[in-house]
Amino acid sequence: MRELLLGLRLLLGSGRGNRVRFLLMTLGSAIGVSCLAVVLTIPGILAAQDARMAARQPTCARDVQGHCTDTKGAPRELTRTDPLGSRPMTRVFIAPGTKRIEPPPGVAELPRPGEIILSPRLHEVLHAEPGLAKLLPGRERGLIGGGGLAHPDELYAYIGVSPGDLKGADVVTLFGESYPPSPTVESSTLDIVRFTLAGVVLLPLAVFLSVCARLSAAVRVRRLAALRLLGLSTKAVQRVNAAETVAAVWLGAVLGLGIYELVNQMISRAGLPGFKWYPSDGAISLSTVLVCLLGCPALAWFVGRASARKAAANPLAVRRGAVQKPPTKWGLLPLVPGLGVVVGYCVVGATGHAPRDTQVSAVLMPIAVVLVGAGLVLTLPFLSQVLARRAARSSNSLSLTLAMRRNEAEPGGALRVATGLVLLVYAASLVQGVLIELDQVSKHNSPVQIYSVGLDAVSAEQQHALESIRGVRGHALRMSSAADFRVGEYQPVLDAVIATCGQLRGSVAKVEGCVDGRPVRLQETGNGYPHDDVKPGAAFRFHFWKGGHRHVQRLKVPEDILRYRDWDDIQAMDADVLLPPSFLPAGYRPDGATLVLVSDSKPATVRNVLDDIGGVDPTIAVDPYGINVTALQQIAVVKTLLAIGMVLGLIIGVAAYLVAATDRAMERKPQITALALLGARPGTLRAAQVAQVVVPLTVGLVLAVVTGKAAESSYLVTGGGAIFWDGKGVPLLLACALGAVAVAALGSLPLVGRRIDPELIRRD
């Protein structure tokens, strides 16, 4: 305790410069802890949203065999999830029974037939888009409370209907499951978030906190050496230094948690693109408080003790300015295995043997990314000294020689300023790779959109209404021949399309020589030849139903071939034969057929078609091919989290630069003053200061770009996508690197002032 009090007294009574450094340490720690709190609370936000989705899930009490029990008179429900733009809209149709059940969270009572209960956001959308009323039939009765919604912007509705209007519904006796039907972010997708945040935020954050803990290292080491010479023990000297560091970090941690809480209240109410949460979801948990208030000061304690080890062990060498030991090559230790994994994945990707075991890759890739990032930080001092020694020997410029000799003597001084910028460029490459992979998942370039509706779920009148929807350019019936399971050998199945030539032309890209009224074989010109199983003359049976009566009709595969060209990204007519509408028996409907509607893929057209399908029957199950709104929503959440990570990484990188540059400016003033008194011109000193930072920074940025692109490519290889090598991202990375060099150069200029203060070179 005596050493702790001594450290605090030295802090408060050692001049304005040390108090400024203490303020920098505190502010830097506050920024770092607030960023750390953001990273630590993201899983809690996602878990809270998943918990509310699970709590409202309709289900029933089940017996040992898994069958619903006590279903007599129980209500029935039918859940439909449709795309509303790029967001999912969930509608839960409730048909009441004679038995009353507890309503889901956020709802006081279940809606009666003809009533709807909407989420606040869906209420706003409904009033802005009246056409949506076709999907939401009924009179608004109220709004769903926050306890029944995953997030404030969720589109959710409970719709009361009569039991006779609900087909294919399930019994519901209670609400609440142990897990949600579709989590906010799937576990595999969440691995992407963890992978990115580890490389983009946590690694620069660890470097930043260590930079904050080692501010004014040279001044503090000389002061600690003086205390050691005055009789303090080795451990006491280390504890004195740790006291100042811990005090700054602990105060910064408290301030950082306050900053996070304020930011959480502001941003959660405003929301982020694709991601919004309730303020209570982002509340600081006990584990986050313990990590920030105990873990960060503990890290600062060990860093403080380690930085005072030299002064405690050899105080005379510190006071007399002995030459520092050169950095060792042990910094290469994490870089070598990290690059080994990264280069290995690049090689197997280039040779066409991309790995299929994603579980191993999910573990190896984050480890490799962290090892490469840590290796960059630890290797830079060694590389900087080697480069400085060779450049100083061959240079004829006074400014460059001064800069290189200073880097040779103190290789870690300039790199303290540059490390945050190097890691920022390295992290930018990783984020590029993740965005490329997500873009491959969500890309939809087809000029048409296909909608599939099961024919068994609609009547003949509804089928005609669906085919007449405004915006539908083509439609057809898809059906398959009946298979004979009594035969012991393989029986091929014939896929047929029932459509006119006009309907076919509206559905596909190109048709050659179509004639109405006759069956023909279909050949897609982009896929070569018809299927081998579909031979001319082969007979197939199709089943048709009218009421409870079945009719079997035989078809012989025709000789004639109709050639057509389907769309590249989506197959509208994936069938073997084209049959005219006259093939259908009067009044009969094909067994297990699907109605396929085709429209343009413009967002407004897709929205109108989906709304009109809901106008025919809001309970119809429609499959908009290629539009997975749940996946799109998850991708939007992940992109927002990546944006948060990049913003945090940018804040950390810039803060590390500003804090380290300010500290270095104060630390270098005596040396700059001494050189000025010896006759060095201000222009020469400014050029030397710029070169002292820019040269090692350039080396670090080159390494960051090379290793970052390698890590990005290896990540794309393990992601299983079609793109492994991203050449388009190189100019952006180079622009980021040049921007970092420009910022570092401009930040080095104020180190040399116009006024010379000889007091700065006075002995302590």
Side-chain angles (χ1 to χ4, degrees), residues 385-395 408:
Q385 188 180 55
V386 172
L387 176 65
R389 184 182 297 116
R390 294 185 178 180
R393 290 175 183 174
S394 59
S395 175
E408 183 182 359

Side-chain angles (χ1 to χ4, degrees), residues 312-627:
N314 196 352
L316 287 176
V318 173
R319 295 297 299 178
R320 293 173 179 174
V323 178
Q324 298 182 8
K325 291 183 179 180
T328 64
K329 299 180 181 179
W330 289 106
L332 296 170
L333 188 61
L335 187 62
V336 172
L339 280 179
V341 174
V342 167
V343 173
Y345 276 128
C346 290
V347 170
V348 297
T351 56
H353 299 86
R356 301 300 177 191
D357 191 349
T358 56
Q359 293 182 348
V360 176
S361 301
V363 175
L364 283 182
M365 274 309 302
I367 294 176
V369 166
V370 173
L371 287 177
V372 172
L376 279 177
V377 176
L378 299 176
T379 307
L380 287 179
F382 171 74
L383 296 178
S384 175
Q385 188 180 55
V386 172
L387 176 65
R389 184 182 297 116
R390 294 185 178 180
R393 290 175 183 174
S394 59
S395 175
N396 294 324
S397 170
L398 177 59
S399 301
L400 184 59
T401 302
L402 285 175
M404 294 301 100
R405 290 304 183 189
R406 172 54 57 186
N407 282 348
E408 183 182 359
E410 296 178 1
L415 290 173
R416 275 189 301 154
V417 181
T419 300
L421 300 177
V422 170
L423 288 179
L424 186 61
V425 173
Y426 173 70
S429 183
L430 296 177
V431 174
Q432 260 189 162
V434 176
L435 292 177
I436 290 172
E437 184 186 23
L438 294 177
D439 186 60
Q440 293 182 77
V441 175
S442 59
K443 212 168 188 179
H444 181 40
N445 294 325
S446 176
V448 299
Q449 177 62 52
I450 295 178
Y451 316 83
S452 297
V453 177
L455 202 62
D456 295 338
V458 297
S459 63
E461 293 77 10
Q462 290 175 331
Q463 176 186 345
H464 179 70
L466 292 174
E467 295 171 349
S468 305
I469 286 177
R470 177 174 51 91
V472 172
R473 54 184 290 178
H475 60 85
L477 282 180
R478 268 190 198 155
M479 62 180 185
S480 299
S481 62
D484 190 355
F485 296 102
R486 295 174 297 176
V487 180
E489 58 185 17
Y490 169 71
Q491 295 292 317
V493 175
L494 184 71
D495 295 323
V497 170
I498 299 178
T500 65
C501 290
Q503 295 167 357
L504 184 63
R505 291 190 186 96
S507 302
V508 299
K510 185 179 180 181
V511 180
E512 300 177 357
C514 182
V515 178
D516 280 321
R518 62 174 186 175
V520 290
R521 284 190 295 160
L522 289 174
Q523 178 182 345
E524 210 282 320
T525 57
N527 293 332
Y529 301 97
H531 298 159
D532 294 337
D533 294 334
V534 183
K535 298 179 180 179
F540 293 88
R541 295 179 299 109
F542 290 90
H543 291 176
F544 298 89
W545 293 88
K546 181 180 180 181
H549 181 263
R550 185 182 70 172
H551 174 73
V552 179
Q553 190 158 325
R554 295 182 177 273
L555 171 71
K556 286 188 177 182
V557 178
E559 293 277 353
D560 297 335
I561 294 178
L562 175 64
R563 293 174 175 83
Y564 72 100
R565 186 73 173 91
D566 218 330
W567 307 103
D568 292 332
D569 297 329
I570 193 170
Q571 299 296 314
M573 292 291 140
D574 187 14
D576 301 313
V577 295
L578 172 68
L579 303 177
S582 58
F583 183 79
L584 289 174
Y588 284 82
R589 310 188 76 194
D591 183 27
T594 302
L595 175 63
V596 179
L597 308 176
V598 182
S599 75
D600 294 332
S601 61
K602 297 177 181 178
T605 303
V606 174
R607 181 70 263 151
N608 290 333
V609 171
L610 289 174
D611 288 344
D612 289 344
I613 291 175
V616 174
D617 186 350
T619 64
I620 290 178
V622 55
D623 179 17
Y625 184 84
I627 302 179

Side-chain angles (χ1 to χ4, degrees), residues 207-218:
V207 175
F208 177 49
L209 291 177
S210 65
V211 168
C212 293
R214 297 187 63 187
L215 289 180
S216 64

